[in-house]
Amino acid sequence: MSIISFTYHSNLGIVHKESFFRIATILGVSVSKSSGKPYMIEKIDSYVKSNPIEVLEKLCMKELAQEFVKACPNTSVVKAPCRIDTLKMFLLVSVCYDKKTRKESLLMVDELRELFAPTLIPS
């Protein structure tokens, strides 16, 4: 399976505008429903990258995200723990489908892995 490079910002670009307001509200990012999609993408992207610890705490995802942080860059997690839907919903992980094995695997964007790592992996 080949992994295509992507960023958190580009991941957000595939979401419908209606979903951004919900994501922003849960994360505590101040945006108006009438804001344009590029503005919402920029605000959410900036908030997540500037506040990785708060994001994990708000989503109660520290233990779950730890599996992705332990993986090497560009390495997908095949056997993901339950409750993975929250990470998918906030686009913190992407789904990769391997046509040969017919299995879904999940990949966390490297830039997020690096931001979350100091919080999740003890020194």
Side-chain angles (χ1 to χ4, degrees):
M1 170 172 48
S2 63
I3 306 288
I4 298 170
S5 293
F6 57 97
T7 64
Y8 186 60
H9 192 278
S10 66
N11 246 12
L12 290 169
I14 63 173
V15 176
H16 295 289
K17 182 182 174 188
E18 297 78 32
S19 300
F20 285 121
F21 188 73
R22 191 170 11 136
I23 291 171
T25 300
I26 292 170
L27 291 177
V29 177
S30 177
V31 294
S32 167
K33 280 188 177 182
S34 62
S35 297
K37 186 175 174 178
Y39 177 77
M40 289 184 175
I41 289 172
E42 192 58 45
K43 291 288 279 185
I44 293 168
D45 179 64
S46 177
Y47 179 79
V48 169
K49 290 176 184 173
S50 299
N51 303 287
I53 297 167
E54 290 84 359
V55 168
L56 291 176
E57 288 174 355
K58 285 180 182 179
L59 301 179
C60 302
M61 290 287 121
K62 282 189 175 184
E63 295 79 16
L64 187 54
Q66 192 166 13
E67 294 301 315
F68 293 93
V69 171
K70 285 180 191 175
C72 298
N74 293 321
T75 303
S76 58
V77 174
V78 176
K79 188 176 182 181
C82 57
R83 292 184 53 228
I84 201 72
D85 290 339
T86 303
L87 289 176
K88 284 196 241 180
M89 184 172 78
F90 288 90
L91 301 167
L92 298 173
V93 296
S94 291
V95 178
C96 305
Y97 184 74
D98 188 339
K99 291 179 183 177
K100 287 183 181 179
T101 62
R102 295 183 181 178
K103 289 186 179 181
E104 264 188 5
S105 55
L106 300 160
L107 182 69
M108 181 175 278
V109 182
D110 288 342
E111 64 188 338
L112 295 180
R113 281 181 64 259
E114 292 168 10
L115 288 172
F116 295 155
T119 306
L120 299 173
I121 307 280
S123 302

